[in-house]
Amino acid sequence: MPLRPIVCCSVAIVIAAANFADARPDTRKMTCAQTQALIQSQHAAVLSTGPNTYDRYVRQFGNECDAPSLPMVEYVPASDGQCMVYRCEEASPMVPN
């Protein structure tokens, strides 16, 4: 089997993966209102929050979280400051006094 088609295919996969990573919206390049509107319109969205960080953010009232997780407040960087969004997290157990 010739090596050239394998190398070309590998290069195409790497380029496609790099382009996919660039396609993820970055909260640092959007205003808080734009970030919140994007999440609200899509119900949930995977967003970059830094050069090597990303997470899935959800709307406050919806069923995007699997039980027992709930939408919990999270702050992400936005072009106009910190932005309040919601991320699925398991609720902390109540500890009695």
Side-chain angles (χ1 to χ4, degrees):
M1 179 173 215
L3 188 58
R4 187 172 178 96
I6 294 172
V7 172
C8 290
C9 185
S10 297
V11 170
I13 290 171
V14 169
I15 291 171
N19 288 337
F20 180 74
D22 291 340
R24 185 173 40 240
D26 191 332
T27 63
R28 299 168 301 157
K29 296 178 182 175
M30 297 184 288
T31 64
C32 184
Q34 290 170 325
T35 301
Q36 291 171 338
L38 176 65
I39 295 167
Q40 188 66 27
S41 70
Q42 296 186 4
H43 299 200
V46 177
L47 305 173
S48 292
T49 56
N52 300 309
T53 57
Y54 63 92
D55 211 335
R56 179 176 178 264
Y57 299 97
V58 298
R59 59 189 177 148
Q60 181 180 11
F61 301 109
N63 57 356
E64 288 73 35
C65 297
D66 293 331
S69 295
L70 301 168
M72 304 292 275
V73 171
E74 177 85 17
Y75 289 90
V76 297
S79 64
D80 56 350
Q82 292 294 303
C83 185
M84 187 178 81
V85 294
Y86 295 88
R87 184 168 66 97
C88 295
E89 289 184 31
E90 202 167 314
S92 300
M94 299 293 282
V95 180
N97 290 336

